Amino acid sequence: MRRLTAAVFGLLLMGMSSAAWAVSPQALKLLDNRFRVDHGIDAITMLVQRKERSAPVIVVLPDGSKWYSTRHPDSVQWSEGPAGDMIKVANPTPGPWQLIGQVSEHSKILLISDIQLQLDPLPAKVFRGERIKLNASIEGDSKRLAIRDFHKMLSWEVRLTSSNRPGDENYAAGVRKIGGFIDDGSSLDERPDDGLFTSTLDFDQPSGMYDLKLMVNNKVFSRVIEQEMEIISQPVRLSVPEKPGADARDFRVHVSVDQEDLMPGELHLALSIRAPSGMVSDLAVDPTLPQQSYPLSMVMDMGSYVINGIAVGTTADGKEFYLTLPALNFYVSPPPPPTLSPRERAALVQQQLQEKEDAARWRVISIVVGANALLFGFGIVVLLFWRKRMRLTEQMEAASREAEMQIEASKIDLSS
């Protein structure tokens, strides 16, 4: 067997037909979870699929010694997931190897000489808020690796770092994480576990030049791709001019388009307007001029409204795009009071003067009544104090007379 410079991937395909991917002539049948490593192999990488939430496999070497996910030589790299293990071994011992665990009955061993990350070309420029579908895959000998829950064993991350180009909106914006890639059949991913990873990137970031860094890794496998990317402003802008007090039926949405960047006649907007009541109405427009406005017939009541939408079109150089437009909020205020005639204004002024005069009169009356009440209260307090003082004086005089009478009685001589 020729010298293999990279890896042996143990692909344990439970519940999947062999047609899920092309099996090369180097495919070996895994019998009783055993396979043989020939001499002259620099490294093996075992990609093991097992039952969901089962324990990591145990690797038995030709000499009978065992490796565990938590106990193995430092030269062994082991990454475990909820339904599989990825194990890389440098300079493996030639001879029969065995896997112990809840593995598939119809597993195969593939001898692979090279492992690569395949990625759709990254665009050099994107619109802010543009939705882009990019595909990526992990390949061995040009064969896409497809295995159930393989995506759970890999970590994807894409970062944007501002290039700090003077004048850009993103100047000094730092690092932003904008998503990664998935293979679970959600979002833009077409089929789960087919080995084709689909991007979930958020380009709703400040416009300007960035350094993009894509990373995919686990404890065994690691790849990095870097390039420059520019996020440019959207060619479509929406606005709703403020009209304080205007009739709700007069509101219109204004659409501004940078036509020199777009293919004529190929711009389409799908808008949704949410009313204060929560009701949502749709509005589809196809702008053909740099500046156009459209009536908002669904605007009927006062309150806060929100416009959300998408824009699809084609750039002048033939690139099709799909944009998520930023949310637009506007407020419908109540109408102003009706205009008064000269006679009504004079009557209103007279009424206001009369109200001021009545208020002044009531203030004077209140002051007078308050002062009189204060004086009356003060008089009552003085009277009560005077009466109490008089009563005390009378009591003291009575006590004095009674004492004098007792003294006079004590002077009478009754002996003669």
Side-chain angles (χ1 to χ4, degrees), residues 42 79-80 89 103 105 107 127 176 188 242 266 301 311:
D42 291 336
S79 179
E80 61 181 89
V89 183
V103 298
E105 296 178 357
S107 300
F127 288 117
R176 295 170 180 262
L188 298 179
E242 294 185 6
E266 295 198 16
D301 303 317

Side-chain angles (χ1 to χ4, degrees), residues 18 46 57 74 84 125 134 156 179 189 199 295-296 313 339 361 363:
S18 60
M46 292 173 280
V57 296
D74 294 339
K125 290 184 179 182
L134 299 173
W156 295 81
D189 189 56
S199 61
L296 297 176
T339 304
R361 183 181 299 111
R363 282 198 299 271

Side-chain angles (χ1 to χ4, degrees), residues 350-363:
Q350 183 63 33
Q351 180 182 354
Q352 293 173 346
L353 291 175
Q354 185 64 41
E355 290 175 353
K356 291 182 179 179
E357 183 178 347
D358 292 342
R361 183 181 299 111
W362 276 110
R363 282 198 299 271

Side-chain angles (χ1 to χ4, degrees), residues 276-328:
S277 63
M279 181 179 295
V280 178
S281 303
D282 296 327
L283 175 65
V285 298
D286 303 312
T288 57
L289 300 175
Q291 302 288 336
Q292 287 185 259
S293 65
Y294 301 87
L296 297 176
S297 58
M298 68 290 297
V299 176
M300 302 176 62
D301 303 317
M302 60 183 178
S304 296
Y305 289 79
V306 181
I307 297 180
N308 294 287
I310 62 169
V312 295
T314 309
T315 63
D317 56 4
K319 172 194 171 185
E320 295 185 348
F321 61 84
Y322 180 108
L323 302 179
T324 299
L325 302 174
L328 175 63

Side-chain angles (χ1 to χ4, degrees), residues 99 149 195 278 405:
L99 304 175
D149 291 334
M405 292 176 62

